[in-house]
Amino acid sequence: MSPIEQTLHRNLTRLRQRIESACRRSGRDPDSVRLVAVTKYAELDWIRPLPAMGVNVFGESRPQQLVERAAALAGIQWHLIGQLQRNKVRSVLPHVALIHSVDSPRLLQRIGDVAGELGLVAHVLLQVNVSGETSKQGFAPQDLRAGWSDILQVRHVQIDGLMTMAPLVDDPEQARPAFRALRELRDQLRRIAGDSTLLPELSMGMSNDFEVAVEESATLVRIGSTLFEGLG
Ligand SMILES: *Cc1c(COP(=O)(O)O)cnc(C)c1O
């Protein structure tokens, strides 16, 4: 193995152990948690060895970089995790397996319109600002509840779940209420729609708080710095 591969292998092994321990603590199946390797600060040479190590889902925060990297690295799944402007929807949609960061009804509608034109169904998560910080993107929980039946009418989109960013805190325990609130909101939206199978995905948890997120039912953890630690 090259030095880059050795570092990635070591980081990944440790990361998977930590995810598995968090699953064990909370009685979950480790296969129910998917790692999204966040590559926004990673070089292509750090990404290339990962599929052979079983990492198949990659997250980019900038649409332009996602499109470029999807062209450079074939055969892997790309998720968009950062803000999407409506005028970028058309260029990114053909390359993205899941958009985590749909933060308004207008953006959702735009994605549905473009997906319809392109003849595809766009898979999305709705980003929720559960902490209510004004600096954060996302639906306010009360707006999502109030608009839920309209949102479910949007065509050519499949809403797979919810996503949130916890407040930046020193102690990961302090992020727990935000993760729990996202799960509870999901459960409320299921009840409103009378469908307990809706919104299976919860995208929450980053390098500094993913174990708490897994304990609170995350199905997608978005991890960058811990995975690429020691490189560059
Ligand atoms: C950068 C980023 C991450 C990963 O953050 P790390 O702390 O490097 O793990 C996760 N989610 C989003 C939305 C990001 O922008």
Side-chain angles (χ1 to χ4, degrees):
M1 277 201 274
S2 71
I4 289 178
E5 287 169 325
Q6 283 175 19
T7 302
L8 286 170
H9 188 263
R10 193 169 53 237
N11 291 350
L12 197 53
T13 302
R14 179 83 189 105
L15 202 48
R16 284 177 169 149
Q17 285 168 348
R18 291 173 64 189
I19 291 171
E20 277 171 31
S21 300
C23 284
R24 215 171 304 117
R25 285 196 295 278
S26 47
R28 299 188 59 198
D29 176 358
D31 289 340
S32 67
V33 181
R34 276 192 295 163
L35 171 66
V36 180
V38 174
T39 51
K40 64 183 175 206
Y41 301 129
E43 294 174 16
L44 283 179
D45 285 346
W46 309 351
I47 304 175
R48 282 199 181 91
L50 285 170
M53 299 179 189
V55 180
N56 302 309
V57 183
F58 294 81
E60 275 292 337
S61 49
R62 287 188 311 171
Q64 183 60 34
Q65 183 150 311
L66 186 151
V67 170
E68 284 166 19
R69 291 187 155 186
L73 302 165
I76 58 180
Q77 232 192 66
W78 289 96
H79 290 188
L80 182 69
I81 61 171
Q83 208 184 350
L84 178 59
Q85 310 285 339
R86 283 182 301 140
N87 63 6
K88 297 277 170 58
V89 169
R90 193 177 299 277
S91 59
V92 84
L93 215 45
H95 305 285
V96 70
L98 181 65
I99 302 172
H100 291 225
S101 42
V102 176
D103 57 6
S104 71
R106 290 177 79 203
L107 177 60
L108 182 70
Q109 188 61 56
R110 172 76 183 157
I111 292 170
D113 291 346
V114 174
E117 287 170 29
L118 297 175
L120 49 84
V121 174
H123 285 259
V124 304
L125 308 179
L126 303 180
Q127 183 171 352
V128 184
N129 181 1
V130 283
S131 61
E133 291 167 281
T134 50
S135 61
K136 282 215 157 69
Q137 301 295 128
F139 286 85
Q142 65 272 21
D143 294 347
L144 199 47
R145 282 190 292 263
W148 189 224
S149 51
D150 290 338
I151 286 169
L152 287 174
Q153 302 299 317
V154 177
R155 299 183 61 216
H156 310 294
V157 295
Q158 168 76 44
I159 304 172
D160 287 338
L162 305 179
M163 179 274 225
T164 200
M165 309 257 292
L168 273 181
V169 289
D170 294 329
D171 175 4
E173 270 308 317
Q174 293 176 285
R176 190 181 296 277
F179 298 145
R180 188 170 290 166
L182 191 72
R183 188 192 63 217
E184 288 172 355
L185 176 63
R186 189 271 301 275
D187 294 345
Q188 289 166 359
L189 295 173
R190 283 178 167 179
R191 279 197 294 276
I192 295 171
D195 183 347
S196 64
T197 65
L198 282 181
L199 305 173
E201 304 282 3
L202 292 176
S203 169
M204 54 191 198
M206 319 196 331
S207 286
N208 56 343
D209 56 18
F210 69 90
E211 287 153 304
V212 174
V214 167
E215 289 171 9
E216 295 298 333
S217 305
T219 62
L220 293 160
V221 289
R222 310 178 307 267
I223 297 181
S225 44
T226 295
L227 176 59
F228 296 109
E229 203 177 316
L231 297 173

PDB file of all heavy atoms in Angstrom, residues 22-53:
ATOM      1  N   ALA A  22     -21.019   2.996  18.316  1.00  0.00           N
ATOM      2  CA  ALA A  22     -22.209   3.833  18.544  1.00  0.00           C
ATOM      3  C   ALA A  22     -23.476   3.048  18.212  1.00  0.00           C
ATOM      4  O   ALA A  22     -24.499   3.181  18.893  1.00  0.00           O
ATOM      5  CB  ALA A  22     -22.130   5.108  17.704  1.00  0.00           C
ATOM      6  N   CYS A  23     -23.416   2.199  17.189  1.00  0.00           N
ATOM      7  CA  CYS A  23     -24.567   1.355  16.847  1.00  0.00           C
ATOM      8  C   CYS A  23     -24.848   0.352  17.970  1.00  0.00           C
ATOM      9  O   CYS A  23     -25.994   0.145  18.357  1.00  0.00           O
ATOM     10  CB  CYS A  23     -24.308   0.608  15.545  1.00  0.00           C
ATOM     11  SG  CYS A  23     -24.468   1.635  14.081  1.00  0.00           S
ATOM     12  N   ARG A  24     -23.783  -0.235  18.479  1.00  0.00           N
ATOM     13  CA  ARG A  24     -23.961  -1.234  19.538  1.00  0.00           C
ATOM     14  C   ARG A  24     -24.596  -0.586  20.767  1.00  0.00           C
ATOM     15  O   ARG A  24     -25.520  -1.141  21.356  1.00  0.00           O
ATOM     16  CB  ARG A  24     -22.607  -1.865  19.892  1.00  0.00           C
ATOM     17  CG  ARG A  24     -22.716  -3.327  20.244  1.00  0.00           C
ATOM     18  CD  ARG A  24     -21.351  -4.017  20.378  1.00  0.00           C
ATOM     19  NE  ARG A  24     -20.514  -3.897  19.204  1.00  0.00           N
ATOM     20  CZ  ARG A  24     -19.322  -3.266  19.186  1.00  0.00           C
ATOM     21  NH1 ARG A  24     -18.837  -2.716  20.280  1.00  0.00           N
ATOM     22  NH2 ARG A  24     -18.617  -3.205  18.078  1.00  0.00           N
ATOM     23  N   ARG A  25     -24.108   0.592  21.115  1.00  0.00           N
ATOM     24  CA  ARG A  25     -24.659   1.289  22.291  1.00  0.00           C
ATOM     25  C   ARG A  25     -26.148   1.576  22.139  1.00  0.00           C
ATOM     26  O   ARG A  25     -26.873   1.658  23.124  1.00  0.00           O
ATOM     27  CB  ARG A  25     -23.939   2.637  22.499  1.00  0.00           C
ATOM     28  CG  ARG A  25     -22.555   2.536  23.072  1.00  0.00           C
ATOM     29  CD  ARG A  25     -22.082   3.894  23.602  1.00  0.00           C
ATOM     30  NE  ARG A  25     -21.910   4.911  22.570  1.00  0.00           N
ATOM     31  CZ  ARG A  25     -20.829   5.024  21.790  1.00  0.00           C
ATOM     32  NH1 ARG A  25     -19.834   4.177  21.925  1.00  0.00           N
ATOM     33  NH2 ARG A  25     -20.740   5.982  20.880  1.00  0.00           N
ATOM     34  N   SER A  26     -26.591   1.795  20.893  1.00  0.00           N
ATOM     35  CA  SER A  26     -27.981   2.205  20.695  1.00  0.00           C
ATOM     36  C   SER A  26     -28.816   1.100  20.046  1.00  0.00           C
ATOM     37  O   SER A  26     -29.926   1.360  19.579  1.00  0.00           O
ATOM     38  CB  SER A  26     -28.028   3.483  19.851  1.00  0.00           C
ATOM     39  OG  SER A  26     -27.191   3.359  18.721  1.00  0.00           O
ATOM     40  N   GLY A  27     -28.284  -0.115  20.024  1.00  0.00           N
ATOM     41  CA  GLY A  27     -29.047  -1.250  19.511  1.00  0.00           C
ATOM     42  C   GLY A  27     -29.362  -1.170  18.031  1.00  0.00           C
ATOM     43  O   GLY A  27     -30.419  -1.634  17.581  1.00  0.00           O
ATOM     44  N   ARG A  28     -28.451  -0.598  17.258  1.00  0.00           N
ATOM     45  CA  ARG A  28     -28.694  -0.464  15.818  1.00  0.00           C
ATOM     46  C   ARG A  28     -27.800  -1.397  15.019  1.00  0.00           C
ATOM     47  O   ARG A  28     -26.724  -1.781  15.461  1.00  0.00           O
ATOM     48  CB  ARG A  28     -28.414   0.976  15.379  1.00  0.00           C
ATOM     49  CG  ARG A  28     -29.304   1.998  16.053  1.00  0.00           C
ATOM     50  CD  ARG A  28     -29.099   3.367  15.421  1.00  0.00           C
ATOM     51  NE  ARG A  28     -29.390   3.329  13.990  1.00  0.00           N
ATOM     52  CZ  ARG A  28     -28.977   4.248  13.127  1.00  0.00           C
ATOM     53  NH1 ARG A  28     -28.236   5.257  13.528  1.00  0.00           N
ATOM     54  NH2 ARG A  28     -29.299   4.139  11.851  1.00  0.00           N
ATOM     55  N   ASP A  29     -28.260  -1.700  13.801  1.00  0.00           N
ATOM     56  CA  ASP A  29     -27.480  -2.484  12.856  1.00  0.00           C
ATOM     57  C   ASP A  29     -26.475  -1.553  12.160  1.00  0.00           C
ATOM     58  O   ASP A  29     -26.882  -0.571  11.544  1.00  0.00           O
ATOM     59  CB  ASP A  29     -28.451  -3.089  11.832  1.00  0.00           C
ATOM     60  CG  ASP A  29     -27.730  -3.859  10.743  1.00  0.00           C
ATOM     61  OD1 ASP A  29     -26.478  -3.908  10.751  1.00  0.00           O
ATOM     62  OD2 ASP A  29     -28.433  -4.397   9.864  1.00  0.00           O
ATOM     63  N   PRO A  30     -25.171  -1.854  12.251  1.00  0.00           N
ATOM     64  CA  PRO A  30     -24.178  -0.979  11.603  1.00  0.00           C
ATOM     65  C   PRO A  30     -24.427  -0.795  10.100  1.00  0.00           C
ATOM     66  O   PRO A  30     -24.054   0.236   9.542  1.00  0.00           O
ATOM     67  CB  PRO A  30     -22.850  -1.706  11.845  1.00  0.00           C
ATOM     68  CG  PRO A  30     -23.081  -2.551  13.041  1.00  0.00           C
ATOM     69  CD  PRO A  30     -24.536  -2.934  13.008  1.00  0.00           C
ATOM     70  N   ASP A  31     -25.078  -1.757   9.479  1.00  0.00           N
ATOM     71  CA  ASP A  31     -25.371  -1.610   8.048  1.00  0.00           C
ATOM     72  C   ASP A  31     -26.427  -0.543   7.775  1.00  0.00           C
ATOM     73  O   ASP A  31     -26.650  -0.170   6.626  1.00  0.00           O
ATOM     74  CB  ASP A  31     -25.848  -2.941   7.455  1.00  0.00           C
ATOM     75  CG  ASP A  31     -24.714  -3.956   7.361  1.00  0.00           C
ATOM     76  OD1 ASP A  31     -23.541  -3.527   7.395  1.00  0.00           O
ATOM     77  OD2 ASP A  31     -25.004  -5.159   7.274  1.00  0.00           O
ATOM     78  N   SER A  32     -27.088  -0.068   8.828  1.00  0.00           N
ATOM     79  CA  SER A  32     -28.102   0.969   8.618  1.00  0.00           C
ATOM     80  C   SER A  32     -27.490   2.373   8.585  1.00  0.00           C
ATOM     81  O   SER A  32     -28.207   3.354   8.407  1.00  0.00           O
ATOM     82  CB  SER A  32     -29.183   0.887   9.709  1.00  0.00           C
ATOM     83  OG  SER A  32     -28.622   1.226  10.975  1.00  0.00           O
ATOM     84  N   VAL A  33     -26.177   2.461   8.754  1.00  0.00           N
ATOM     85  CA  VAL A  33     -25.498   3.765   8.719  1.00  0.00           C
ATOM     86  C   VAL A  33     -24.541   3.786   7.529  1.00  0.00           C
ATOM     87  O   VAL A  33     -23.681   2.914   7.398  1.00  0.00           O
ATOM     88  CB  VAL A  33     -24.676   4.006  10.008  1.00  0.00           C
ATOM     89  CG1 VAL A  33     -24.004   5.380   9.960  1.00  0.00           C
ATOM     90  CG2 VAL A  33     -25.563   3.889  11.236  1.00  0.00           C
ATOM     91  N   ARG A  34     -24.717   4.779   6.662  1.00  0.00           N
ATOM     92  CA  ARG A  34     -23.811   4.916   5.516  1.00  0.00           C
ATOM     93  C   ARG A  34     -22.877   6.094   5.734  1.00  0.00           C
ATOM     94  O   ARG A  34     -23.293   7.168   6.184  1.00  0.00           O
ATOM     95  CB  ARG A  34     -24.601   5.148   4.222  1.00  0.00           C
ATOM     96  CG  ARG A  34     -25.081   3.860   3.580  1.00  0.00           C
ATOM     97  CD  ARG A  34     -25.605   4.114   2.174  1.00  0.00           C
ATOM     98  NE  ARG A  34     -26.800   4.960   2.182  1.00  0.00           N
ATOM     99  CZ  ARG A  34     -27.258   5.583   1.100  1.00  0.00           C
ATOM    100  NH1 ARG A  34     -26.626   5.487  -0.052  1.00  0.00           N
ATOM    101  NH2 ARG A  34     -28.357   6.320   1.180  1.00  0.00           N
ATOM    102  N   LEU A  35     -21.625   5.857   5.387  1.00  0.00           N
ATOM    103  CA  LEU A  35     -20.625   6.912   5.472  1.00  0.00           C
ATOM    104  C   LEU A  35     -20.618   7.706   4.160  1.00  0.00           C
ATOM    105  O   LEU A  35     -20.456   7.129   3.088  1.00  0.00           O
ATOM    106  CB  LEU A  35     -19.254   6.271   5.697  1.00  0.00           C
ATOM    107  CG  LEU A  35     -18.037   7.190   5.603  1.00  0.00           C
ATOM    108  CD1 LEU A  35     -18.043   8.219   6.717  1.00  0.00           C
ATOM    109  CD2 LEU A  35     -16.751   6.366   5.654  1.00  0.00           C
ATOM    110  N   VAL A  36     -20.799   9.019   4.281  1.00  0.00           N
ATOM    111  CA  VAL A  36     -20.620   9.907   3.133  1.00  0.00           C
ATOM    112  C   VAL A  36     -19.254  10.565   3.305  1.00  0.00           C
ATOM    113  O   VAL A  36     -19.045  11.342   4.247  1.00  0.00           O
ATOM    114  CB  VAL A  36     -21.718  10.985   3.073  1.00  0.00           C
ATOM    115  CG1 VAL A  36     -21.508  11.900   1.858  1.00  0.00           C
ATOM    116  CG2 VAL A  36     -23.102  10.341   3.022  1.00  0.00           C
ATOM    117  N   ALA A  37     -18.319  10.219   2.434  1.00  0.00           N
ATOM    118  CA  ALA A  37     -16.966  10.780   2.524  1.00  0.00           C
ATOM    119  C   ALA A  37     -16.988  12.192   1.938  1.00  0.00           C
ATOM    120  O   ALA A  37     -17.193  12.368   0.741  1.00  0.00           O
ATOM    121  CB  ALA A  37     -15.990   9.896   1.764  1.00  0.00           C
ATOM    122  N   VAL A  38     -16.807  13.164   2.805  1.00  0.00           N
ATOM    123  CA  VAL A  38     -16.890  14.559   2.364  1.00  0.00           C
ATOM    124  C   VAL A  38     -15.530  14.993   1.821  1.00  0.00           C
ATOM    125  O   VAL A  38     -14.533  15.018   2.543  1.00  0.00           O
ATOM    126  CB  VAL A  38     -17.345  15.470   3.518  1.00  0.00           C
ATOM    127  CG1 VAL A  38     -17.296  16.937   3.090  1.00  0.00           C
ATOM    128  CG2 VAL A  38     -18.760  15.102   3.943  1.00  0.00           C
ATOM    129  N   THR A  39     -15.522  15.305   0.527  1.00  0.00           N
ATOM    130  CA  THR A  39     -14.262  15.482  -0.191  1.00  0.00           C
ATOM    131  C   THR A  39     -13.970  16.942  -0.534  1.00  0.00           C
ATOM    132  O   THR A  39     -13.099  17.211  -1.352  1.00  0.00           O
ATOM    133  CB  THR A  39     -14.286  14.657  -1.491  1.00  0.00           C
ATOM    134  OG1 THR A  39     -15.488  14.959  -2.206  1.00  0.00           O
ATOM    135  CG2 THR A  39     -14.259  13.170  -1.191  1.00  0.00           C
ATOM    136  N   LYS A  40     -14.674  17.877   0.103  1.00  0.00           N
ATOM    137  CA  LYS A  40     -14.522  19.275  -0.339  1.00  0.00           C
ATOM    138  C   LYS A  40     -13.088  19.780  -0.179  1.00  0.00           C
ATOM    139  O   LYS A  40     -12.668  20.628  -0.938  1.00  0.00           O
ATOM    140  CB  LYS A  40     -15.507  20.179   0.392  1.00  0.00           C
ATOM    141  CG  LYS A  40     -15.303  20.276   1.881  1.00  0.00           C
ATOM    142  CD  LYS A  40     -16.397  21.146   2.521  1.00  0.00           C
ATOM    143  CE  LYS A  40     -16.234  21.115   4.016  1.00  0.00           C
ATOM    144  NZ  LYS A  40     -17.493  21.376   4.728  1.00  0.00           N
ATOM    145  N   TYR A  41     -12.329  19.256   0.796  1.00  0.00           N
ATOM    146  CA  TYR A  41     -10.934  19.672   0.958  1.00  0.00           C
ATOM    147  C   TYR A  41      -9.949  18.580   0.534  1.00  0.00           C
ATOM    148  O   TYR A  41      -8.759  18.695   0.774  1.00  0.00           O
ATOM    149  CB  TYR A  41     -10.648  20.074   2.410  1.00  0.00           C
ATOM    150  CG  TYR A  41     -11.502  21.193   2.915  1.00  0.00           C
ATOM    151  CD1 TYR A  41     -12.206  21.085   4.117  1.00  0.00           C
ATOM    152  CD2 TYR A  41     -11.618  22.389   2.209  1.00  0.00           C
ATOM    153  CE1 TYR A  41     -13.005  22.119   4.585  1.00  0.00           C
ATOM    154  CE2 TYR A  41     -12.416  23.433   2.665  1.00  0.00           C
ATOM    155  CZ  TYR A  41     -13.106  23.282   3.858  1.00  0.00           C
ATOM    156  OH  TYR A  41     -13.885  24.311   4.315  1.00  0.00           O
ATOM    157  N   ALA A  42     -10.460  17.506  -0.055  1.00  0.00           N
ATOM    158  CA  ALA A  42      -9.593  16.368  -0.398  1.00  0.00           C
ATOM    159  C   ALA A  42      -9.091  16.479  -1.837  1.00  0.00           C
ATOM    160  O   ALA A  42      -9.799  16.960  -2.726  1.00  0.00           O
ATOM    161  CB  ALA A  42     -10.361  15.062  -0.222  1.00  0.00           C
ATOM    162  N   GLU A  43      -7.877  15.993  -2.056  1.00  0.00           N
ATOM    163  CA  GLU A  43      -7.343  15.927  -3.412  1.00  0.00           C
ATOM    164  C   GLU A  43      -7.845  14.653  -4.094  1.00  0.00           C
ATOM    165  O   GLU A  43      -8.183  13.678  -3.423  1.00  0.00           O
ATOM    166  CB  GLU A  43      -5.808  15.928  -3.357  1.00  0.00           C
ATOM    167  CG  GLU A  43      -5.269  17.247  -2.828  1.00  0.00           C
ATOM    168  CD  GLU A  43      -3.758  17.225  -2.616  1.00  0.00           C
ATOM    169  OE1 GLU A  43      -3.097  16.312  -3.147  1.00  0.00           O
ATOM    170  OE2 GLU A  43      -3.273  18.123  -1.909  1.00  0.00           O
ATOM    171  N   LEU A  44      -7.831  14.679  -5.426  1.00  0.00           N
ATOM    172  CA  LEU A  44      -8.322  13.499  -6.163  1.00  0.00           C
ATOM    173  C   LEU A  44      -7.549  12.242  -5.787  1.00  0.00           C
ATOM    174  O   LEU A  44      -8.126  11.152  -5.684  1.00  0.00           O
ATOM    175  CB  LEU A  44      -8.213  13.733  -7.676  1.00  0.00           C
ATOM    176  CG  LEU A  44      -9.281  14.632  -8.309  1.00  0.00           C
ATOM    177  CD1 LEU A  44      -9.021  14.775  -9.805  1.00  0.00           C
ATOM    178  CD2 LEU A  44     -10.674  14.089  -8.066  1.00  0.00           C
ATOM    179  N   ASP A  45      -6.248  12.386  -5.521  1.00  0.00           N
ATOM    180  CA  ASP A  45      -5.434  11.213  -5.169  1.00  0.00           C
ATOM    181  C   ASP A  45      -5.822  10.597  -3.827  1.00  0.00           C
ATOM    182  O   ASP A  45      -5.470   9.450  -3.550  1.00  0.00           O
ATOM    183  CB  ASP A  45      -3.949  11.591  -5.121  1.00  0.00           C
ATOM    184  CG  ASP A  45      -3.374  11.753  -6.519  1.00  0.00           C
ATOM    185  OD1 ASP A  45      -4.035  11.314  -7.482  1.00  0.00           O
ATOM    186  OD2 ASP A  45      -2.267  12.316  -6.644  1.00  0.00           O
ATOM    187  N   TRP A  46      -6.479  11.370  -3.008  1.00  0.00           N
ATOM    188  CA  TRP A  46      -6.934  10.809  -1.730  1.00  0.00           C
ATOM    189  C   TRP A  46      -8.270  10.098  -1.907  1.00  0.00           C
ATOM    190  O   TRP A  46      -8.670   9.264  -1.092  1.00  0.00           O
ATOM    191  CB  TRP A  46      -7.132  11.890  -0.663  1.00  0.00           C
ATOM    192  CG  TRP A  46      -5.973  12.813  -0.464  1.00  0.00           C
ATOM    193  CD1 TRP A  46      -4.722  12.705  -0.999  1.00  0.00           C
ATOM    194  CD2 TRP A  46      -5.967  14.007   0.325  1.00  0.00           C
ATOM    195  NE1 TRP A  46      -3.945  13.759  -0.597  1.00  0.00           N
ATOM    196  CE2 TRP A  46      -4.683  14.574   0.217  1.00  0.00           C
ATOM    197  CE3 TRP A  46      -6.930  14.648   1.108  1.00  0.00           C
ATOM    198  CZ2 TRP A  46      -4.336  15.756   0.876  1.00  0.00           C
ATOM    199  CZ3 TRP A  46      -6.587  15.821   1.758  1.00  0.00           C
ATOM    200  CH2 TRP A  46      -5.289  16.362   1.645  1.00  0.00           C
ATOM    201  N   ILE A  47      -9.000  10.471  -2.940  1.00  0.00           N
ATOM    202  CA  ILE A  47     -10.328   9.902  -3.169  1.00  0.00           C
ATOM    203  C   ILE A  47     -10.220   8.561  -3.902  1.00  0.00           C
ATOM    204  O   ILE A  47     -10.939   7.612  -3.598  1.00  0.00           O
ATOM    205  CB  ILE A  47     -11.196  10.880  -3.997  1.00  0.00           C
ATOM    206  CG1 ILE A  47     -11.276  12.246  -3.294  1.00  0.00           C
ATOM    207  CG2 ILE A  47     -12.582  10.308  -4.226  1.00  0.00           C
ATOM    208  CD1 ILE A  47     -12.005  13.303  -4.098  1.00  0.00           C
ATOM    209  N   ARG A  48      -9.290   8.505  -4.853  1.00  0.00           N
ATOM    210  CA  ARG A  48      -9.200   7.347  -5.759  1.00  0.00           C
ATOM    211  C   ARG A  48      -9.107   6.003  -5.045  1.00  0.00           C
ATOM    212  O   ARG A  48      -9.722   5.037  -5.483  1.00  0.00           O
ATOM    213  CB  ARG A  48      -8.001   7.509  -6.695  1.00  0.00           C
ATOM    214  CG  ARG A  48      -8.288   8.465  -7.826  1.00  0.00           C
ATOM    215  CD  ARG A  48      -7.313   8.291  -8.990  1.00  0.00           C
ATOM    216  NE  ARG A  48      -7.642   9.257 -10.025  1.00  0.00           N
ATOM    217  CZ  ARG A  48      -7.093  10.479 -10.093  1.00  0.00           C
ATOM    218  NH1 ARG A  48      -6.187  10.853  -9.223  1.00  0.00           N
ATOM    219  NH2 ARG A  48      -7.472  11.308 -11.044  1.00  0.00           N
ATOM    220  N   PRO A  49      -8.328   5.867  -3.932  1.00  0.00           N
ATOM    221  CA  PRO A  49      -8.213   4.526  -3.307  1.00  0.00           C
ATOM    222  C   PRO A  49      -9.471   4.103  -2.544  1.00  0.00           C
ATOM    223  O   PRO A  49      -9.590   2.927  -2.180  1.00  0.00           O
ATOM    224  CB  PRO A  49      -7.049   4.694  -2.306  1.00  0.00           C
ATOM    225  CG  PRO A  49      -6.376   5.981  -2.661  1.00  0.00           C
ATOM    226  CD  PRO A  49      -7.416   6.837  -3.303  1.00  0.00           C
ATOM    227  N   LEU A  50     -10.383   5.015  -2.275  1.00  0.00           N
ATOM    228  CA  LEU A  50     -11.465   4.707  -1.334  1.00  0.00           C
ATOM    229  C   LEU A  50     -12.476   3.669  -1.823  1.00  0.00           C
ATOM    230  O   LEU A  50     -12.889   2.816  -1.025  1.00  0.00           O
ATOM    231  CB  LEU A  50     -12.164   6.002  -0.895  1.00  0.00           C
ATOM    232  CG  LEU A  50     -11.338   6.832   0.105  1.00  0.00           C
ATOM    233  CD1 LEU A  50     -11.975   8.208   0.314  1.00  0.00           C
ATOM    234  CD2 LEU A  50     -11.217   6.115   1.446  1.00  0.00           C
ATOM    235  N   PRO A  51     -12.895   3.710  -3.089  1.00  0.00           N
ATOM    236  CA  PRO A  51     -13.871   2.684  -3.501  1.00  0.00           C
ATOM    237  C   PRO A  51     -13.378   1.253  -3.252  1.00  0.00           C
ATOM    238  O   PRO A  51     -14.159   0.397  -2.811  1.00  0.00           O
ATOM    239  CB  PRO A  51     -14.075   2.964  -4.993  1.00  0.00           C
ATOM    240  CG  PRO A  51     -13.834   4.434  -5.119  1.00  0.00           C
ATOM    241  CD  PRO A  51     -12.706   4.730  -4.154  1.00  0.00           C
ATOM    242  N   ALA A  52     -12.089   0.998  -3.455  1.00  0.00           N
ATOM    243  CA  ALA A  52     -11.560  -0.350  -3.198  1.00  0.00           C
ATOM    244  C   ALA A  52     -11.599  -0.690  -1.713  1.00  0.00           C
ATOM    245  O   ALA A  52     -11.511  -1.866  -1.334  1.00  0.00           O
ATOM    246  CB  ALA A  52     -10.131  -0.458  -3.723  1.00  0.00           C
ATOM    247  N   MET A  53     -11.732   0.341  -0.863  1.00  0.00           N
ATOM    248  CA  MET A  53     -11.851   0.107   0.581  1.00  0.00           C
ATOM    249  C   MET A  53     -13.313   0.110   1.018  1.00  0.00           C
ATOM    250  O   MET A  53     -13.618   0.179   2.210  1.00  0.00           O
ATOM    251  CB  MET A  53     -11.078   1.188   1.351  1.00  0.00           C
ATOM    252  CG  MET A  53      -9.591   1.198   1.034  1.00  0.00           C
ATOM    253  SD  MET A  53      -8.710   2.514   1.944  1.00  0.00           S
ATOM    254  CE  MET A  53      -7.100   2.415   1.149  1.00  0.00           C
TER     255      MET A  53
END
